[in-house]
mmCIF file of all heavy atoms in Angstrom:
data_model
loop_
_atom_site.group_PDB
_atom_site.id
_atom_site.type_symbol
_atom_site.label_atom_id
_atom_site.label_comp_id
_atom_site.label_asym_id
_atom_site.label_seq_id
_atom_site.Cartn_x
_atom_site.Cartn_y
_atom_site.Cartn_z
ATOM 1 N N VAL A 5 16.248 15.760 -15.693
ATOM 2 C CA VAL A 5 15.440 14.756 -14.876
ATOM 3 C C VAL A 5 15.882 14.859 -13.412
ATOM 4 O O VAL A 5 15.148 14.840 -12.366
ATOM 5 C CB VAL A 5 15.702 13.313 -15.408
ATOM 6 C CG1 VAL A 5 15.297 12.307 -14.428
ATOM 7 C CG2 VAL A 5 15.058 13.118 -16.640
ATOM 8 N N SER A 6 17.137 15.130 -13.141
ATOM 9 C CA SER A 6 17.895 15.232 -11.890
ATOM 10 C C SER A 6 17.189 16.399 -11.117
ATOM 11 O O SER A 6 17.006 16.507 -9.884
ATOM 12 C CB SER A 6 19.351 15.273 -11.886
ATOM 13 O OG SER A 6 19.933 14.160 -12.307
ATOM 14 N N MET A 7 16.850 17.484 -11.865
ATOM 15 C CA MET A 7 16.429 18.667 -11.241
ATOM 16 C C MET A 7 14.962 18.255 -10.420
ATOM 17 O O MET A 7 14.686 18.721 -9.379
ATOM 18 C CB MET A 7 15.891 19.822 -12.277
ATOM 19 C CG MET A 7 17.159 20.593 -12.733
ATOM 20 S SD MET A 7 16.459 21.959 -13.810
ATOM 21 C CE MET A 7 17.967 22.482 -14.504
ATOM 22 N N GLY A 8 14.102 17.559 -11.282
ATOM 23 C CA GLY A 8 12.869 17.111 -10.638
ATOM 24 C C GLY A 8 13.001 15.942 -9.673
ATOM 25 O O GLY A 8 12.496 15.971 -8.534
ATOM 26 N N LEU A 9 13.789 14.911 -10.014
ATOM 27 C CA LEU A 9 13.969 13.727 -9.262
ATOM 28 C C LEU A 9 14.529 13.891 -7.914
ATOM 29 O O LEU A 9 13.903 13.581 -6.784
ATOM 30 C CB LEU A 9 14.868 12.689 -10.096
ATOM 31 C CG LEU A 9 15.231 11.447 -9.223
ATOM 32 C CD1 LEU A 9 14.044 10.561 -9.115
ATOM 33 C CD2 LEU A 9 16.275 10.714 -10.022
ATOM 34 N N GLN A 10 15.573 14.598 -7.828
ATOM 35 C CA GLN A 10 16.279 14.796 -6.542
ATOM 36 C C GLN A 10 15.437 15.677 -5.587
ATOM 37 O O GLN A 10 15.434 15.543 -4.450
ATOM 38 C CB GLN A 10 17.765 15.387 -6.720
ATOM 39 C CG GLN A 10 18.704 14.483 -7.552
ATOM 40 C CD GLN A 10 19.043 13.167 -6.794
ATOM 41 O OE1 GLN A 10 18.842 13.020 -5.556
ATOM 42 N NE2 GLN A 10 19.382 12.214 -7.574
ATOM 43 N N THR A 11 14.901 16.828 -6.201
ATOM 44 C CA THR A 11 14.091 17.607 -5.366
ATOM 45 C C THR A 11 12.914 17.011 -4.749
ATOM 46 O O THR A 11 12.621 17.129 -3.612
ATOM 47 C CB THR A 11 13.572 18.942 -6.341
ATOM 48 O OG1 THR A 11 14.805 19.572 -6.850
ATOM 49 C CG2 THR A 11 12.970 19.896 -5.410
ATOM 50 N N VAL A 12 12.177 16.170 -5.609
ATOM 51 C CA VAL A 12 11.000 15.402 -5.052
ATOM 52 C C VAL A 12 11.467 14.510 -3.920
ATOM 53 O O VAL A 12 10.824 14.471 -2.819
ATOM 54 C CB VAL A 12 10.382 14.589 -6.038
ATOM 55 C CG1 VAL A 12 9.335 13.551 -5.505
ATOM 56 C CG2 VAL A 12 9.671 15.496 -7.199
ATOM 57 N N MET A 13 12.684 13.841 -4.081
ATOM 58 C CA MET A 13 13.060 12.961 -3.047
ATOM 59 C C MET A 13 13.383 13.577 -1.703
ATOM 60 O O MET A 13 13.175 13.091 -0.654
ATOM 61 C CB MET A 13 14.295 12.187 -3.533
ATOM 62 C CG MET A 13 14.032 11.135 -4.654
ATOM 63 S SD MET A 13 15.368 10.460 -5.452
ATOM 64 C CE MET A 13 16.342 9.779 -4.025
ATOM 65 N N TYR A 14 14.053 14.835 -1.856
ATOM 66 C CA TYR A 14 14.447 15.502 -0.700
ATOM 67 C C TYR A 14 13.290 16.288 0.152
ATOM 68 O O TYR A 14 13.355 16.552 1.318
ATOM 69 C CB TYR A 14 15.490 16.564 -0.963
ATOM 70 C CG TYR A 14 16.887 15.880 -1.102
ATOM 71 C CD1 TYR A 14 17.563 15.843 -2.363
ATOM 72 C CD2 TYR A 14 17.590 15.253 -0.057
ATOM 73 C CE1 TYR A 14 18.782 15.314 -2.469
ATOM 74 C CE2 TYR A 14 18.782 14.616 -0.278
ATOM 75 C CZ TYR A 14 19.372 14.706 -1.448
ATOM 76 O OH TYR A 14 20.600 14.091 -1.685
ATOM 77 N N VAL A 15 12.211 16.654 -0.567
ATOM 78 C CA VAL A 15 11.173 17.436 0.014
ATOM 79 C C VAL A 15 9.894 16.589 0.422
ATOM 80 O O VAL A 15 8.861 17.125 0.944
ATOM 81 C CB VAL A 15 10.767 18.562 -0.769
ATOM 82 C CG1 VAL A 15 11.915 19.489 -1.196
ATOM 83 C CG2 VAL A 15 10.078 18.243 -2.156
ATOM 84 N N ALA A 16 9.975 15.253 0.045
ATOM 85 C CA ALA A 16 8.766 14.509 0.152
ATOM 86 C C ALA A 16 8.204 14.408 1.530
ATOM 87 O O ALA A 16 7.091 14.473 1.751
ATOM 88 C CB ALA A 16 9.005 13.035 -0.354
ATOM 89 N N THR A 17 9.257 14.116 2.530
ATOM 90 C CA THR A 17 8.704 14.156 3.870
ATOM 91 C C THR A 17 8.145 15.377 4.454
ATOM 92 O O THR A 17 7.265 15.375 5.231
ATOM 93 C CB THR A 17 9.810 13.558 4.907
ATOM 94 O OG1 THR A 17 11.073 14.309 4.568
ATOM 95 C CG2 THR A 17 10.125 12.178 4.544
ATOM 96 N N ILE A 18 8.680 16.482 4.131
ATOM 97 C CA ILE A 18 8.213 17.830 4.506
ATOM 98 C C ILE A 18 6.829 18.027 3.866
ATOM 99 O O ILE A 18 5.900 18.507 4.507
ATOM 100 C CB ILE A 18 9.176 18.961 4.145
ATOM 101 C CG1 ILE A 18 10.322 19.111 4.996
ATOM 102 C CG2 ILE A 18 8.408 20.343 4.102
ATOM 103 C CD1 ILE A 18 11.225 20.231 4.809
ATOM 104 N N PHE A 19 6.634 17.568 2.749
ATOM 105 C CA PHE A 19 5.223 17.602 2.040
ATOM 106 C C PHE A 19 4.266 16.752 2.907
ATOM 107 O O PHE A 19 3.067 17.280 3.228
ATOM 108 C CB PHE A 19 5.312 17.120 0.658
ATOM 109 C CG PHE A 19 3.889 16.935 -0.098
ATOM 110 C CD1 PHE A 19 3.362 18.076 -0.695
ATOM 111 C CD2 PHE A 19 3.286 15.649 -0.029
ATOM 112 C CE1 PHE A 19 2.177 17.880 -1.326
ATOM 113 C CE2 PHE A 19 2.009 15.552 -0.598
ATOM 114 C CZ PHE A 19 1.429 16.772 -1.246
ATOM 115 N N GLY A 20 4.670 15.591 3.345
ATOM 116 C CA GLY A 20 3.743 14.744 4.107
ATOM 117 C C GLY A 20 3.452 15.402 5.488
ATOM 118 O O GLY A 20 2.342 15.288 6.001
ATOM 119 N N SER A 21 4.510 16.040 5.996
ATOM 120 C CA SER A 21 4.442 16.566 7.322
ATOM 121 C C SER A 21 3.543 17.782 7.400
ATOM 122 O O SER A 21 2.610 17.987 8.145
ATOM 123 C CB SER A 21 5.750 16.948 7.869
ATOM 124 O OG SER A 21 5.749 17.569 9.260
ATOM 125 N N GLN A 22 3.758 18.690 6.370
ATOM 126 C CA GLN A 22 3.110 19.952 6.367
ATOM 127 C C GLN A 22 1.587 19.860 5.786
ATOM 128 O O GLN A 22 0.668 20.420 6.183
ATOM 129 C CB GLN A 22 3.893 21.045 5.669
ATOM 130 C CG GLN A 22 3.157 22.346 5.565
ATOM 131 C CD GLN A 22 4.126 23.495 5.116
ATOM 132 O OE1 GLN A 22 5.108 23.798 5.763
ATOM 133 N NE2 GLN A 22 3.813 24.164 4.050
ATOM 134 N N GLU A 23 1.523 19.087 4.480
ATOM 135 C CA GLU A 23 0.298 19.151 3.814
ATOM 136 C C GLU A 23 -0.617 18.134 4.352
ATOM 137 O O GLU A 23 -1.848 18.300 4.300
ATOM 138 C CB GLU A 23 0.634 18.919 2.361
ATOM 139 C CG GLU A 23 1.236 19.947 1.572
ATOM 140 C CD GLU A 23 0.484 21.310 1.517
ATOM 141 O OE1 GLU A 23 -0.653 21.144 1.236
ATOM 142 O OE2 GLU A 23 1.108 22.309 1.717
ATOM 143 N N LEU A 24 -0.074 17.004 4.840
ATOM 144 C CA LEU A 24 -0.945 15.899 5.300
ATOM 145 C C LEU A 24 -1.000 15.750 6.825
ATOM 146 O O LEU A 24 -1.692 14.872 7.292
ATOM 147 C CB LEU A 24 -0.590 14.557 4.582
ATOM 148 C CG LEU A 24 -0.630 14.619 3.035
ATOM 149 C CD1 LEU A 24 -0.159 13.338 2.538
ATOM 150 C CD2 LEU A 24 -1.953 15.047 2.519
ATOM 151 N N HIS A 25 -0.013 16.523 7.445
ATOM 152 C CA HIS A 25 -0.016 16.418 8.910
ATOM 153 C C HIS A 25 0.339 14.945 9.503
ATOM 154 O O HIS A 25 -0.208 14.686 10.525
ATOM 155 C CB HIS A 25 -1.264 17.005 9.532
ATOM 156 C CG HIS A 25 -1.748 18.219 9.114
ATOM 157 N ND1 HIS A 25 -1.076 19.511 9.218
ATOM 158 C CD2 HIS A 25 -2.774 18.678 8.289
ATOM 159 C CE1 HIS A 25 -1.691 20.413 8.642
ATOM 160 N NE2 HIS A 25 -2.607 20.035 7.962
ATOM 161 N N LEU A 26 1.182 14.306 8.712
ATOM 162 C CA LEU A 26 1.657 13.047 9.254
ATOM 163 C C LEU A 26 2.740 13.179 10.303
ATOM 164 O O LEU A 26 3.470 14.165 10.366
ATOM 165 C CB LEU A 26 2.330 12.278 8.108
ATOM 166 C CG LEU A 26 1.288 11.955 6.886
ATOM 167 C CD1 LEU A 26 2.024 11.173 5.768
ATOM 168 C CD2 LEU A 26 -0.031 11.253 7.345
ATOM 169 N N GLN A 27 2.700 12.229 11.292
ATOM 170 C CA GLN A 27 3.592 12.317 12.360
ATOM 171 C C GLN A 27 5.035 11.635 11.844
ATOM 172 O O GLN A 27 5.000 11.020 10.825
ATOM 173 C CB GLN A 27 3.074 11.378 13.492
ATOM 174 C CG GLN A 27 1.751 11.843 14.060
ATOM 175 C CD GLN A 27 1.896 13.303 14.653
ATOM 176 O OE1 GLN A 27 2.755 13.643 15.396
ATOM 177 N NE2 GLN A 27 0.938 14.154 14.269
ATOM 178 N N THR A 28 6.045 11.993 12.770
ATOM 179 C CA THR A 28 7.342 11.517 12.324
ATOM 180 C C THR A 28 7.454 10.054 12.028
ATOM 181 O O THR A 28 7.984 9.519 10.980
ATOM 182 C CB THR A 28 8.341 11.982 13.260
ATOM 183 O OG1 THR A 28 8.417 13.266 13.613
ATOM 184 C CG2 THR A 28 9.852 11.484 12.953
ATOM 185 N N ALA A 29 6.745 9.215 12.916
ATOM 186 C CA ALA A 29 6.763 7.835 12.829
ATOM 187 C C ALA A 29 6.066 7.398 11.472
ATOM 188 O O ALA A 29 6.516 6.386 10.779
ATOM 189 C CB ALA A 29 6.116 7.143 13.953
ATOM 190 N N GLN A 30 5.054 8.036 11.103
ATOM 191 C CA GLN A 30 4.319 7.725 9.833
ATOM 192 C C GLN A 30 5.179 8.023 8.583
ATOM 193 O O GLN A 30 5.229 7.333 7.646
ATOM 194 C CB GLN A 30 3.015 8.565 9.718
ATOM 195 C CG GLN A 30 2.039 8.104 10.690
ATOM 196 C CD GLN A 30 0.738 9.002 10.703
ATOM 197 O OE1 GLN A 30 0.801 10.165 10.962
ATOM 198 N NE2 GLN A 30 -0.379 8.360 10.232
ATOM 199 N N LEU A 31 5.960 9.132 8.784
ATOM 200 C CA LEU A 31 6.756 9.545 7.688
ATOM 201 C C LEU A 31 7.966 8.583 7.438
ATOM 202 O O LEU A 31 8.285 8.112 6.340
ATOM 203 C CB LEU A 31 7.335 10.993 7.815
ATOM 204 C CG LEU A 31 6.297 12.043 7.894
ATOM 205 C CD1 LEU A 31 6.932 13.458 8.334
ATOM 206 C CD2 LEU A 31 5.773 12.253 6.471
ATOM 207 N N ILE A 32 8.564 8.164 8.614
ATOM 208 C CA ILE A 32 9.552 7.155 8.532
ATOM 209 C C ILE A 32 9.056 5.839 8.042
ATOM 210 O O ILE A 32 9.783 5.131 7.092
ATOM 211 C CB ILE A 32 10.242 6.946 9.889
ATOM 212 C CG1 ILE A 32 10.897 8.268 10.456
ATOM 213 C CG2 ILE A 32 11.301 5.863 9.934
ATOM 214 C CD1 ILE A 32 11.472 8.192 11.920
ATOM 215 N N GLY A 33 7.904 5.503 8.383
ATOM 216 C CA GLY A 33 7.282 4.225 7.829
ATOM 217 C C GLY A 33 7.131 4.281 6.347
ATOM 218 O O GLY A 33 7.313 3.395 5.658
ATOM 219 N N THR A 34 6.698 5.579 5.791
ATOM 220 C CA THR A 34 6.632 5.763 4.444
ATOM 221 C C THR A 34 7.956 5.585 3.753
ATOM 222 O O THR A 34 8.044 4.945 2.648
ATOM 223 C CB THR A 34 6.035 7.099 4.146
ATOM 224 O OG1 THR A 34 4.813 7.207 4.890
ATOM 225 C CG2 THR A 34 5.784 7.311 2.705
ATOM 226 N N VAL A 35 8.914 6.239 4.344
ATOM 227 C CA VAL A 35 10.271 6.143 3.663
ATOM 228 C C VAL A 35 10.739 4.690 3.694
ATOM 229 O O VAL A 35 11.347 4.110 2.708
ATOM 230 C CB VAL A 35 11.224 7.031 4.506
ATOM 231 C CG1 VAL A 35 12.643 6.845 4.059
ATOM 232 C CG2 VAL A 35 10.906 8.437 4.322
#
């Protein structure tokens, strides 16, 4: 479970930045 859980948590903002082109402020708001 930790293999998936921790990886998702650490790469989530990069996913939002690269795939959805969200700005830093939007990503921080999501967090």
Side-chain angles (χ1 to χ4, degrees):
V5 169
S6 294
M7 281 190 196
L9 172 67
Q10 300 292 341
T11 304
V12 168
M13 289 169 56
Y14 282 116
V15 304
T17 49
I18 285 188
F19 175 83
S21 175
Q22 179 166 304
E23 293 294 318
L24 305 178
H25 308 293
L26 300 180
Q27 300 300 312
T28 301
Q30 291 176 297
L31 293 170
I32 296 176
T34 304
V35 172

